[in-house]
Amino acid sequence: MPDGAATLERRATIRAVLGGGAATLAAAGCDTPRLDAELLLAAVLGVDRARLVLDAGRVLDAAALEAFEALLARRAAREPVAYILGRRAFRRIELDVDRRVLIPRPETELLVEVGLVLPASASVVDVGTGSGAVALALKDERPDLSVWGVDASEDAVALARANAARLGLEVRLVRTDLLDGLPPFDAVLANLPYVAEGAVLAPEIALYEPRDALFAGADGLEVIRRLVGRLAGVPYVALEIGSEQGDEVAALLRAAGFGAIRRLRDLAGHQRVITGRR
């Protein structure tokens, strides 16, 4: 039973359960222990987080307490909340996620923002689509676009297709290596593996997220380098990159004939997306 559980058993109000849960997660090294505890308890009770505040004095029954403690133990083992709950919000949509795919992150929304300014009825492919996050969010906000999503992982494509079906979004989702066998596109957006082998990652990432979607050779650019080499005839490209990779990726794009190189920063101020245009 997690630390603090004895207190929870004696007085299992929402307020006490959240306090004990947050303490357990803080001791386990989680970055946002209170938020995580709230998300887990809200899921157990089938309510939103605001209701936890309004009902802070409510006493939980044994079944709810047991269910919360089971989820809490998983989070204390550093399993990401998104995998525990099986879902992740991304822009205006909510995606089903599991260990077959990376968890969509706020910084990846920059790729969607880039796609939003494409010309009417443009064709665009999301390479390394994973859960389908970029492709589906883009189609949701720009239904006029012809959107594809591709991934080398059959498991990822299966999950992306399930998300597309549930959301009712018409995106073509295909398993292939980068752009192999695909028609020409007006734009290529890509969130590919860009972590260098040997990099130290948070336990949530290192222990749970798919390795093949993270690591890309000694400098982290192995997959991006391969994609750039296959962009002949593509008018516009946007790539998510590591915060220290901007100069190298800009040089790759220039060597491939792209100009008008732009670097976009995420909310933390890090270079996160680089774009090029012919």
Side-chain angles (χ1 to χ4, degrees):
M1 188 174 290
D3 291 344
T7 299
L8 302 189
E9 284 185 322
R10 288 195 299 270
R11 187 169 176 269
T13 62
I14 285 177
R15 182 183 298 107
V17 165
L18 286 177
T24 294
L25 297 185
C30 298
D31 288 338
T32 54
R34 178 73 185 197
L35 172 61
D36 295 353
E38 290 178 357
L39 290 170
L40 297 178
L41 185 57
V44 166
L45 298 178
V47 301
D48 59 26
R49 289 170 57 215
R51 177 53 59 182
L52 300 179
V53 176
L54 295 173
D55 293 346
R58 170 185 165 187
V59 176
L60 299 183
D61 60 32
L65 183 59
E66 182 177 358
F68 174 68
E69 289 176 344
L71 299 188
L72 194 70
R74 292 172 63 183
R75 182 66 188 113
R78 305 299 289 273
E79 183 176 353
V81 171
Y83 287 159
I84 296 171
L85 300 183
R87 62 181 184 268
R88 177 73 168 206
F90 187 78
R91 293 187 69 85
R92 303 193 317 190
I93 61 177
E94 186 170 78
L95 299 157
D96 291 339
V97 294
D98 58 35
R99 293 182 65 177
R100 291 176 287 179
V101 297
L102 291 182
I103 297 167
R105 289 164 167 78
E107 53 266 31
T108 301
E109 294 187 12
L110 282 172
L111 286 176
V112 180
E113 292 173 13
V114 164
L116 292 177
V117 299
L118 291 171
S121 301
S123 61
V124 55
V125 59
D126 168 27
V127 183
T129 195
S131 63
V134 171
L136 294 171
L138 188 57
K139 187 66 174 179
D140 175 62
E141 297 179 45
R142 283 287 307 274
D144 63 295
L145 297 177
S146 174
V147 182
W148 290 50
V150 302
D151 203 287
S153 165
E154 187 64 58
D155 285 342
V157 171
L159 181 56
R161 286 173 178 161
N163 277 321
R166 180 176 52 78
L167 294 167
L169 294 170
E170 294 186 11
V171 171
R172 183 79 178 270
L173 294 155
V174 177
R175 180 192 177 277
T176 191
D177 179 41
L178 301 177
L179 299 174
D180 286 0
L182 301 183
F185 290 95
D186 297 314
V188 171
L189 313 179
N191 179 17
L192 297 169
Y194 56 75
V195 179
E197 293 286 349
V200 177
L201 301 174
E204 286 83 352
I205 301 172
L207 296 176
Y208 294 96
E209 299 203 56
R211 181 180 179 83
D212 289 348
L214 292 166
F215 295 99
D219 63 356
L221 293 176
E222 185 176 288
V223 185
I224 288 176
R225 198 174 283 116
R226 286 203 300 119
L227 176 64
V228 172
R230 301 183 187 188
L231 293 178
V234 174
Y236 185 79
V237 63
L239 305 169
E240 182 169 328
I241 60 172
S243 59
E244 304 298 323
Q245 294 173 333
D247 290 345
E248 293 170 274
V249 176
L252 289 173
L253 291 177
R254 290 191 188 97
F258 288 93
I261 306 296
R262 294 179 60 222
R263 307 183 195 196
L264 308 179
R265 295 183 179 273
D266 60 24
L267 293 176
H270 301 305
Q271 292 184 27
R272 188 58 62 196
V273 168
I274 188 164
T275 68
R277 188 183 301 275
R278 296 188 196 277

